[in-house]
Amino acid sequence: MKKKTKQILAIAAVVLLAGLYIATLVLSLMKSEMAQSLFRGAVACTILIPCLLYVYMMAYKMLRGKGNDDKISGIDTENEKKEIKENKKQQDKQGAKNK
């Protein structure tokens, strides 16, 4: 993801959370039945949204690699794939010699 996109998403998340905090405060001061149920929803969202964002970020990092789009499933580059194949061939040759 590009740096500009990350900044925009981070600002949007901050604005969303700030809005939830303000809504929670305002709803806590109101006395109506609807305000109570909206208050519960705002509190739940205040807790759940950051948790879900954290889970999504962790999943993204695990699937895509830590900031490296080429890194998937623990293999960084094509060169590393070639090295792994060469090492496996050498191990196979050594195993055949030992037999």
Side-chain angles (χ1 to χ4, degrees):
M1 213 183 306
K2 294 182 181 179
K3 187 176 182 180
K4 185 88 170 174
T5 307
K6 285 182 183 180
Q7 288 177 341
I8 291 170
L9 290 174
I11 291 170
V14 167
V15 169
L16 176 69
L17 287 174
L20 279 170
Y21 294 143
I22 292 168
T24 303
L25 177 66
V26 170
L27 291 169
S28 69
L29 300 173
M30 299 174 110
K31 296 288 183 187
S32 71
E33 286 291 322
M34 184 159 194
Q36 285 182 350
S37 50
L38 289 173
F39 172 74
R40 288 187 197 121
V43 169
C45 287
T46 301
I47 295 168
L48 291 176
I49 288 176
C51 292
L52 288 175
L53 288 174
Y54 179 75
V55 169
Y56 291 149
M57 288 189 307
M58 291 299 292
Y60 181 80
K61 285 181 182 179
M62 291 177 86
L63 293 174
R64 287 309 223 164
K66 295 180 177 120
N68 186 359
D69 288 339
D70 295 334
K71 185 178 178 184
I72 297 174
S73 71
I75 299 175
D76 286 331
T77 62
E78 290 296 321
N79 291 334
E80 191 171 352
K81 289 180 186 178
K82 288 178 185 177
E83 288 178 21
I84 291 171
K85 286 181 183 178
E86 289 174 8
N87 288 339
K88 190 171 183 180
K89 285 180 185 178
Q90 288 177 354
Q91 289 175 354
D92 291 342
K93 287 180 184 178
Q94 289 177 353
K97 288 180 183 179
N98 291 338
K99 289 182 181 181

